[in-house]
Every structure is written in C-alpha cells, then in structure tokens.
Amino acid sequence: FRKMSTYTNVKDPPCNAAGDGVADDTLAIQSAINDAAGIAVCFPKGTYFWRALTGLTTAPLVMPGDNPGHGNSRMQGGM
C-alpha cells in the first residue's frame, strides 16, 4: 500500500479503487480513509461511485486529477 508522507492514493493497492463511475468503490475508499492515519486521501482523475463512508472528518480528501490544482475527479454517492 503506497502511503506517501502527504497522502494516500485510493487507486493504489490494496485499495484499488476503479474510479470508472461504474464499479462500487466504497470498500476501496473506506480502506484508504481507514489507513490514512491523519494524512490526506488522494483521488486521481476519475469518477468514484460510493455508498456510505465513515471517518470523513478525520481524513482530508484531495481530488487533484492529473494536474494538482486543476481537479478532474468526481464523486457519486451519498453518506
């Protein structure tokens, strides 16, 4: 699981979020939030489908897309 000093990437193993807008990424995103340990959770370019998530107040979410500062990611779902 690639956990960098500033963020955890939801597409990296073992989370493996698809980010295709079709697959249910709930478990992958929740795993990244749980493993973040106070660092940001990064969502690379994509569309993420999710259902209920917990712990969002403890992990900042970063959605940089391909170019940090120019977001291209979307979230679909609800808490």
Side-chain angles (χ1 to χ4, degrees):
F1 185 39
R2 190 174 92 191
K3 191 182 290 190
M4 303 194 67
S5 61
T6 57
Y7 68 89
T8 297
N9 188 324
V10 298
K11 285 192 170 185
D12 286 346
C15 299
N16 299 317
D20 62 6
V22 177
D24 186 343
D25 291 317
T26 303
L27 293 177
I29 295 169
Q30 188 65 63
S31 177
I33 291 169
N34 293 347
D35 292 341
I39 61 174
V41 176
C42 179
F43 292 82
K45 182 179 180 179
T47 301
Y48 299 86
F49 175 73
W50 54 277
R51 297 180 192 277
L53 299 171
T54 61
L56 293 176
T57 59
T58 60
L61 304 179
V62 178
M63 301 173 69
D66 286 338
N67 301 310
H70 300 91
N72 300 7
S73 298
R74 293 181 355 168
M75 299 290 277
Q76 297 178 7
M79 294 205 254

